[in-house]
């Protein structure tokens, strides 16, 4: 069952009629609905293309949060072979919000780090909706250190509303863990390729997204704070999130123009959830091209260029 967003009502109405006609034809074989179904399918495709060609930042935010959008586990299953998750930060506990481990990407050994939101109530609670605690970032640090030691490229997949802001997380050093994870990204001498799959929220995202190459899916968002959070701070009214999203420059197009990201990965018409296999395949191709380009550089040059990249962003903005 497809979940439709508010602005997708014209698509919902057309696809609903298509479903009804097909069901009618199944129940009574003497009724031929193929011509009408064909016409409605064309109209549905046209409506989808029209709507998605002019999405507002707030609508893109809704698409980035779509419950059926492919998550880290989907990308890991299709892109990586022999993926072996590693658990625990060797200090406190395991954090399921961040998945990290070793695997093979198109035959090459790599380290993989990503945020997993979950896709139903049980898995969302297990993964804490993708909001990591300090131990999650310390696990990421552990895997990056291992990758640096053994010369393994690092691939990070970002999808989080932000780091978990609970009292326990703050008591265990949330800010310090995020800072050290960001520092580790800057210090290692192996390639890092990062892709924002859905939401890239604040320090919770940048802690594993400080890469040599950073890409975003077409309808992903990347921001210092959520639109709702920005509206609460600026106007003390979270209902003005739509207005905040329009002013925050959080879309892939905005961030590419600002030089924060290196490229945009196109999504199928209607969003990544309409054809997960296609968008995952495109993402793999972009990662492979980036790793091929970066592998020619020595470790010290990678580290120097990566640091300079982020200094330049700060100067430009």
């Amino acid at each position: 069952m497809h979940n439709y967003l508010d602005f997708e009502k014209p698509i919902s109405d057309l696809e609903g009629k298509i479903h009804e006609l097909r069901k009618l034809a199944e129940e009574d074989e003497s009724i031929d609905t193929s011509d009408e179904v064909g016409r409605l399918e064309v109209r549905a495709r046209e409506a989808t293309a029209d709507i998605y060609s002019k999405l507002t930042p707030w609508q893109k935010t809704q698409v980035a949060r779509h419950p059926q959008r492919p998550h880290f586990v989907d990308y890991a299953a299709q892109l990586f072979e022999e993926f072996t998750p590693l658990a625990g930060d060797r200090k406190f506990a395991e954090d399921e919000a961040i998945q990290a481990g070793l695997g093979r990407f198109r035959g090459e050994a790599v380290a993989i780090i990503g945020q997993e939101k979950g896709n139903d109530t049980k898995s969302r609670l297990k993964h804490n909706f993708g909001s990591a605690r300090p131990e999650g970032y310390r696990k990421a640090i552990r895997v990056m250190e291992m990758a640096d030691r053994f010369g393994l490229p690092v691939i990070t997949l970002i999808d989080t509303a932000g780091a978990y802001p609970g009292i326990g997380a703050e008591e265990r050093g949330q800010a310090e863990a995020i800072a050290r994870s960001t520092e580790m990204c800057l210090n290692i001498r192996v390639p890092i390729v990062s892709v924002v799959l859905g939401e890239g929220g604040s320090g919770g995202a940048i802690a594993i997204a400080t890469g040599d190459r950073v890409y975003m899916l077409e309808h992903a968002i990347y921001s210092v704070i959520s639109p709702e959070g920005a509206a609460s701070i600026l106007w003390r009214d979270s209902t003005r999130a739509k207005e905040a999203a329009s002013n925050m420059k959080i879309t892939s197009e905005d961030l590419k123009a600002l030089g924060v990201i290196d490229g945009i990965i196109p999504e199928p018409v209607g969003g990544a959830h309409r054809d997960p296999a296609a968008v995952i395949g495109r993402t793999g191709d972009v990662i492979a091209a980036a790793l091929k380009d970066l592998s020619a550089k020595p470790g010290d040059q990678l580290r120097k260029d990566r640091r300079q990249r982020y200094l330049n962003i700060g100067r430009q903005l």
Side-chain angles (χ1 to χ4, degrees), residues 260-296:
V260 174
I261 65 170
D262 298 285
I264 299 170
I265 301 171
E267 295 188 27
V269 176
H273 53 282
R274 290 273 181 169
D275 192 350
V279 77
I280 293 172
R282 288 174 193 166
T283 302
D285 292 341
V286 169
I287 292 172
L291 287 178
K292 182 178 180 181
D293 180 47
L294 294 168
S295 64

Side-chain angles (χ1 to χ4, degrees), residues 134 137-138 141 170 172-182:
Y137 295 109
R138 290 174 181 138
I141 292 169
E170 298 296 342
R172 294 194 301 278
Q174 183 72 288
E176 181 263 355
I178 289 171
R180 289 196 180 277
S181 183
T182 307

Side-chain angles (χ1 to χ4, degrees), residues 27-211:
E27 293 172 351
D28 188 345
E29 294 182 359
S30 66
I31 300 175
D32 183 7
T33 62
S34 57
D35 289 343
E36 182 60 21
V37 166
R39 283 192 291 271
L40 288 172
E41 285 178 334
V42 170
R43 289 175 58 192
R45 286 195 295 270
E46 290 174 348
T48 303
D50 181 57
I51 289 170
Y52 273 79
S53 68
K54 50 188 179 185
L55 292 181
T56 67
W58 178 243
Q59 288 170 337
K60 281 183 175 282
T61 301
Q62 292 176 281
V63 177
R65 296 171 175 173
H66 197 287
Q68 293 174 318
R69 194 172 178 86
H71 294 161
F72 172 83
V73 293
D74 304 302
Y75 285 81
Q78 186 171 326
L79 293 181
F80 308 122
E81 303 89 38
E82 302 176 32
F83 177 53
T84 304
L86 299 177
D89 64 346
R90 299 296 186 264
K91 291 181 174 67
F92 181 74
E94 161 65 350
D95 184 355
E96 296 278 2
I98 286 188
Q99 300 292 296
L102 306 176
R104 291 191 181 277
F105 174 68
R106 301 188 178 183
E108 181 179 6
V110 295
I112 304 145
I113 303 170
Q115 286 144 335
E116 172 57 40
K117 286 184 171 181
N119 52 24
D120 56 27
T121 301
K122 184 177 180 181
S123 62
R124 285 169 188 153
L125 291 172
K126 174 184 177 182
H127 296 290
N128 200 34
F129 299 86
S131 294
R133 298 175 172 87
E135 41 273 22
Y137 295 109
R138 290 174 181 138
K139 175 171 65 174
I141 292 169
R142 183 165 74 89
V143 171
M144 283 189 274
E145 285 178 333
M146 186 183 300
D148 194 34
R149 188 177 306 123
F150 293 104
L152 303 177
V154 178
I155 298 170
T156 68
L157 304 176
I158 296 90
D159 191 10
T160 181
Y164 184 62
I167 293 174
E170 298 296 342
E171 288 175 342
R172 294 194 301 278
Q174 183 72 288
E176 181 263 355
I178 289 171
R180 289 196 180 277
S181 183
T182 307
E183 180 185 37
M184 182 58 64
C185 287
L186 290 170
N187 283 339
I188 61 177
R189 291 174 168 80
V190 293
I192 306 177
V193 179
S194 304
V195 182
V196 181
L197 306 178
E199 287 186 275
S202 192
I206 198 71
I208 62 169
T210 311

